[in-house]
Amino acid sequence: MPSNRKITPSTLSVTDLPWQILWDKDRCTLCGQCTAVCPVQAIEPAVFRKRIVNTVLNVTADISDAHTVYYGIRQKTDPAYRCVGCATCQMVCPNDAIKPARGDDFDKLRFHMNRGGQPRRRGGRRNVPGSLLDRIKFIRISMLTDPALDAGRHEFELRTLLGRVLPPEQNLAFLRENGWIPPVREIYPLIIGGMSFGALSPNMWEGLQLGIAYLNEELNMPVRISTGEGGCPPRLLRSRFLKYVILQVASGYFGWDEIIHALPDMKEDPCAIEIKYGQGAKPGDGGLLMWHKVNQLIAAIRGVPPGINLPSPPTHQTKYSIEESVAKMIQSMYMATGFRVPVYPKISATSTAMAVLNNLTRNDYAAGLAIDGEDGGTGAAYHVSMNHMGHPIASNIRDAYLTLVAVGKQNEIPIFAGGGIGKTGNLAANAAALIMLGASGIQIGKYVMQAAAGCVGSENDRCNICNLGLCPKGITSQDPRLYRRLDVDDVAQRVVDLFLSFDTELKKIVAPLGRSTALPIGMSDALGIDDRHAADRLQIQYVV
Amino acid sequence: MCRLFAITSDNPLSPQVAINALDIMREGHDGSGVGLFLRDLGGPFEEIKDAPILSGIFTESGLKRLDMYMMELGFMTKYKISIKIPKTTPPGIPKRDFYLIRAYEYPEEWENCSQDALFDRLLDIRLTLRHMGEEKEDMIVFSFWPDVIMIKEIGDPMQVAKYLNLDRRELKARVIMAQGRQNTNYAINLYACHPFFLQGFSTMTNGENTAFIPIREYLLSRDFPGYTGYQSDSEVFTHILHYTMKTLGLGIEAYKHVITPLNDADLDPHPDRDFLGHLRNTCRRLIIDGPNCVIGCLTDHSMFMVQDRKKLRPGVVGGRPGLFAFSSEICGLDAAIPDRDKARDFQPMHLDTVVIGPDRREIHLCRQTEKLPRLH
């Protein structure tokens, strides 16, 4: 490199990047797979010139030198081509000659991710590794009366309800008088949350649906999956598997033309309809599918032209306020589906969530409330929204539950918690903690991508290029060259593995607490935490 | 673990029968307390079945406050049992001033009251007295109801019975429930002692209720003044019974469907599956969990026993027409009704509700998988 090379403000060294490629010349076979597979073209084949100086002992002889070249890998330092740390190069290397390593200095790249005045956008998650949920312990071990329950042998009823449950007096009276009783579904408390067809690749989507169908039809586990805002493939809409699906409608109404037209042909009602008002990962921001991913198929399902950005507006444009919006949309959806399908809103966790909830308590049609916390994931959002906007899920869920207890409606409006559950891998423990804080069920997204498809993203800003459709695993890509890497059946198998292992772990948590006849919703006496303030805030025990 | 004994008899019996049965089962309780529930009374109370009887423990000043309060309301004492307390108190039993069992005459202006309104007022008075007592720690009130007497005290059941001379002529009942207490989860507090009572319904329980907190939250949010207390996790069983039968207007057969509903496999072929499905959904927060044997008494003097979903607690039923008993252990049954056909003893299982009606002619066993009787 010439010493007088032009230095611009955004000229970075490899050290300034968060990820550095370590390449071993001795092991490299120069097969070129790593450079071919790199999703962001962070590495390229390079020619390195090398000078060898031949020194001799005879002082009268001339010292000579020779210039040789060798071939190898060079990491680019242009911010547009920075290494994202996905380690796909390492995965394909036959000789373990290459790997990305996290730099030990504070990277300088972050100051240059706004070329053209465009702030950084990315997929993934909030870059905060820890989780308060992991600190919650289950302390009420049932030692008082023996025998304790046996997680492996006893019968466990771990289902939950999705739908508006009337007060017992009213429900039984309506049953006698043939009155209208809102539809209620009994489902498994772990739901695959809204990840749209478009955000996910066709193979990923199909694998999830296949896994869900297997869990329901072969293993008798009533697991449900939300479509996210991106419509639903027409054949699924007209199949008997639709009953396992929660159709999501959001402010872009993508795919709803197709859904409305399929209504007369539906063999089964969908499980429910989720109206998305907010997303925990990017509260106050609408959905975003960037043009890279809008191919012919996606465009057809969503009813849009291909190759354009699809930003959903932050608000449902036709309504003035959330109260009106929630009330009218819930009612319209009920009407469209013959009053046979539960309809509920999903909001991002926020300090104003209680106002929405209070509003729902007065709306006899509201079938529940899904609250999505700040640790949730997304396919595409502004970096600043993901990292700095949002509300933690634990206190929001607790407040919501206690709000319902105060008005005696804790059995009437189920609350579903989402956002970062299992973000450190402790899915069952996090889910059980939220259930005991008052959630009726849990929604997971990122966890499914990680466990069922091997998403390499992390809370340390690894990969996170879902927005560009460049997913090295083919999970969030619409490029067949990428998504063919993902085998549909393998994904389905992993979905089943995930739910079965979750089920066993959940039993291993509730059995020692002496619970088996019903999901321990609101069993806050079982919870403890080693932080006085968190304990006070959540109204659980402080334990050290 | 507590030990339970309940007996229903054509002929009024002394509570000592139940105390003896508890004593036989003493290996199963630690003698930290005893609770007695007497109903369908004999002796002098036979003639005053409609008069509400106040049962409780009072200090001297508490008694004065009680008298003032009751007089103000217009209640007149009709009859009372005077329990003369011996000078020396046995170890383990606290010294009290008065154990009160007093039947009252209703105030004249209450004459035209409907029965429901009357019962609400009786509850209101009991709760007011309880609050007054808790303020100054001078009254503990167990029940205020016609034809019902309750006695509770800390200490070994047999010693307490001797100390209070419970085996006396004027204290006899056709229905007796007794609990030998194991002091476990909560501090010794007589309000945590079974049996619990609410508007004619009474239950006692063996075991722990691990779903206590959510159930308590649900009952407290029902906006019914009687759903209060909860010094023990077992009190909710009485209140769920009250809620099932009084608020929802269902029969005792439905109680088990509320506290331990059927699973899908059993519910699908059930003739009442629609109704039971709705009951399971709407009463979901009343599902109990944990090992429990619940024994109770209904307003019509029926006695019943139910087990938890997995039948993890002991409970046996035996007797003969005119005299039946429920007991935690067979030895308790042997002590109370030795001359029964033991071959007919049985242990109700996880789907069963055993009911012995007020006529005491037979044991009625209803299984959850059976069709529910039609409601009248």
Side-chain angles (χ1 to χ4, degrees), chain A residues 142 155 159 401 408 514 516-517, chain B residues 208 210 217 222 263-264 310:
Chain A
S142 193
E155 166 202 77
R159 297 176 183 188
Y401 175 75
S516 65
T517 315
Chain B
E208 86 177 301
T210 49
E217 280 170 349
R222 292 309 90 197
N263 59 23
D264 281 352
K310 296 183 173 60

Side-chain angles (χ1 to χ4, degrees), chain A residues 140 142 145-146 155 157 159 161 168-169 171 186 401 405 408 410-411 513-518 523 525, chain B residues 208 210-211 213-214 217-218 221-222 243 247 263-264 278 280-282 284-285 288-289 291 309-310 313:
Chain A
R140 193 200 181 283
S142 193
T145 46
D146 55 36
E155 166 202 77
E157 279 292 328
R159 297 176 183 188
L161 297 182
E169 301 91 314
N171 188 297
E186 194 170 40
Y401 175 75
V405 168
Q410 62 268 49
N411 192 47
L513 308 180
R515 298 300 305 268
S516 65
T517 315
M523 188 188 176
D525 56 324
Chain B
E208 86 177 301
T210 49
I213 296 295
E217 280 170 349
Y218 190 76
S221 63
R222 292 309 90 197
Y243 185 75
T247 310
N263 59 23
D264 281 352
H278 281 279
R280 183 172 75 173
N281 285 354
T282 57
R284 211 173 180 86
R285 302 300 161 109
I288 65 156
D289 223 330
R309 175 71 197 160
K310 296 183 173 60
R313 281 282 158 262

Side-chain angles (χ1 to χ4, degrees), chain A residues 77-323:
Chain A
T77 54
D78 184 328
Y81 298 99
R82 88 281 181 201
C83 172
V84 294
C86 69
T88 314
C89 51
Q90 188 180 11
M91 239 178 292
V92 298
C93 179
N95 268 13
D96 300 330
I98 188 166
K99 66 176 180 186
R102 181 172 285 284
D104 54 8
D105 192 20
F106 188 82
D107 73 80
K108 308 298 178 298
L109 174 75
R110 66 187 68 196
F111 303 109
H112 301 278
M113 295 289 284
N114 53 1
R115 276 191 177 170
Q118 269 292 357
R120 184 182 177 198
R121 284 165 295 178
R122 61 179 177 89
R125 70 234 44 233
R126 194 168 78 104
N127 287 324
V128 177
S131 169
L132 176 110
L133 295 174
D134 281 346
R135 292 168 61 194
I136 297 179
K137 307 168 210 286
F138 306 99
I139 55 168
R140 193 200 181 283
I141 312 303
S142 193
M143 289 282 127
L144 206 57
T145 46
D146 55 36
L149 294 170
D150 184 332
R153 294 184 186 86
H154 273 127
E155 166 202 77
F156 285 81
E157 279 292 328
L158 297 174
R159 297 176 183 188
T160 195
L161 297 182
L162 168 58
R164 184 58 170 262
V165 182
L166 296 178
E169 301 91 314
Q170 200 182 359
N171 188 297
L172 297 185
F174 282 5
L175 202 59
R176 280 194 302 273
E177 298 155 8
N178 217 11
W180 180 72
I181 297 171
V184 176
R185 313 282 195 228
E186 194 170 40
I187 62 171
Y188 197 71
L190 188 67
I191 298 168
I192 299 185
M195 293 181 288
S196 71
F197 193 101
L200 297 184
S201 67
N203 284 19
M204 180 64 183
W205 230 72
E206 195 179 339
L208 294 181
Q209 295 291 345
L210 199 60
I212 294 289
Y214 189 90
L215 285 164
N216 278 278
E217 309 226 330
E218 298 296 326
L219 300 175
N220 197 28
M221 286 175 75
V223 180
R224 299 294 179 261
I225 180 169
S226 166
T227 58
E229 187 204 13
C232 186
R235 277 183 63 192
L236 180 57
L237 285 172
R238 290 165 178 80
S239 79
R240 66 189 167 89
F241 303 108
L242 185 64
K243 59 178 179 280
Y244 310 137
V245 174
I246 297 168
L247 295 174
Q248 192 188 81
V249 56
S251 53
Y253 305 100
F254 293 123
W256 268 79
D257 203 35
E258 183 69 44
I259 291 171
I260 297 293
H261 282 102
L263 276 173
D265 302 327
M266 285 181 184
K267 289 191 187 70
E268 296 271 359
D269 288 325
C271 166
I273 294 174
E274 181 178 77
I275 307 172
K276 186 184 108 174
Y277 293 95
Q279 192 175 339
K282 45 176 172 177
D285 232 351
L288 174 61
L289 190 68
M290 290 176 73
W291 65 268
H292 315 77
K293 295 169 79 170
V294 186
N295 62 15
Q296 289 285 355
L297 176 67
I298 304 303
I301 288 177
R302 295 194 173 207
V304 295
I308 56 165
N309 273 337
L310 298 181
S312 300
T315 59
H316 288 256
Q317 297 284 303
T318 51
K319 307 291 188 300
Y320 294 111
S321 65
I322 188 149
E323 291 95 331

Side-chain angles (χ1 to χ4, degrees), chain A residues 208-501:
Chain A
L208 294 181
Q209 295 291 345
L210 199 60
I212 294 289
Y214 189 90
L215 285 164
N216 278 278
E217 309 226 330
E218 298 296 326
L219 300 175
N220 197 28
M221 286 175 75
V223 180
R224 299 294 179 261
I225 180 169
S226 166
T227 58
E229 187 204 13
C232 186
R235 277 183 63 192
L236 180 57
L237 285 172
R238 290 165 178 80
S239 79
R240 66 189 167 89
F241 303 108
L242 185 64
K243 59 178 179 280
Y244 310 137
V245 174
I246 297 168
L247 295 174
Q248 192 188 81
V249 56
S251 53
Y253 305 100
F254 293 123
W256 268 79
D257 203 35
E258 183 69 44
I259 291 171
I260 297 293
H261 282 102
L263 276 173
D265 302 327
M266 285 181 184
K267 289 191 187 70
E268 296 271 359
D269 288 325
C271 166
I273 294 174
E274 181 178 77
I275 307 172
K276 186 184 108 174
Y277 293 95
Q279 192 175 339
K282 45 176 172 177
D285 232 351
L288 174 61
L289 190 68
M290 290 176 73
W291 65 268
H292 315 77
K293 295 169 79 170
V294 186
N295 62 15
Q296 289 285 355
L297 176 67
I298 304 303
I301 288 177
R302 295 194 173 207
V304 295
I308 56 165
N309 273 337
L310 298 181
S312 300
T315 59
H316 288 256
Q317 297 284 303
T318 51
K319 307 291 188 300
Y320 294 111
S321 65
I322 188 149
E323 291 95 331
E324 186 200 9
S325 178
V326 168
K328 284 187 177 167
M329 288 191 68
I330 286 178
Q331 225 138 329
S332 313
M333 292 296 164
Y334 265 102
M335 246 185 281
T337 50
F339 294 87
R340 299 185 309 271
V341 178
V343 183
Y344 66 93
K346 170 184 172 176
I347 59 170
S348 53
T350 157
S351 56
T352 60
M354 295 321 119
V356 178
L357 182 62
N358 278 318
N359 194 256
L360 294 182
T361 62
R362 296 185 197 96
N363 179 345
D364 289 340
Y365 293 95
L369 177 65
I371 303 179
D372 194 17
E374 62 176 349
D375 280 329
T378 176
Y382 282 90
H383 181 76
V384 69
S385 297
M386 259 190 269
N387 279 18
H388 301 285
M389 303 295 295
H391 192 293
I393 189 64
S395 60
N396 227 212
I397 288 294
R398 188 71 181 137
D399 288 351
Y401 175 75
L402 292 174
T403 297
L404 290 177
V405 168
V407 292
K409 288 184 183 289
Q410 62 268 49
N411 192 47
E412 294 170 31
I413 304 176
I415 305 164
F416 290 86
I421 293 139
K423 74 187 264 197
T424 56
N426 304 313
L427 179 63
N430 290 177
L434 282 165
I435 287 169
M436 290 177 209
L437 287 173
S440 282
I442 302 301
Q443 294 188 336
I444 49 166
K446 290 194 310 281
Y447 191 92
V448 182
M449 303 209 324
Q450 289 179 305
C455 164
V456 296
S458 78
E459 303 290 337
N460 292 314
D461 205 5
R462 182 174 169 198
C463 198
N464 289 346
I465 49 172
C466 335
N467 57 325
L468 301 175
L470 296 173
C471 174
K473 289 290 189 84
I475 303 165
T476 61
S477 170
Q478 300 305 334
D479 183 343
R481 290 169 301 179
L482 291 175
Y483 68 67
R484 73 183 172 204
R485 293 175 186 169
L486 201 60
D487 185 272
V488 171
D489 291 334
D490 288 346
V491 172
Q493 173 70 59
R494 289 295 298 146
V495 169
V496 173
D497 289 348
L498 183 174
F499 275 89
L500 289 180
S501 64

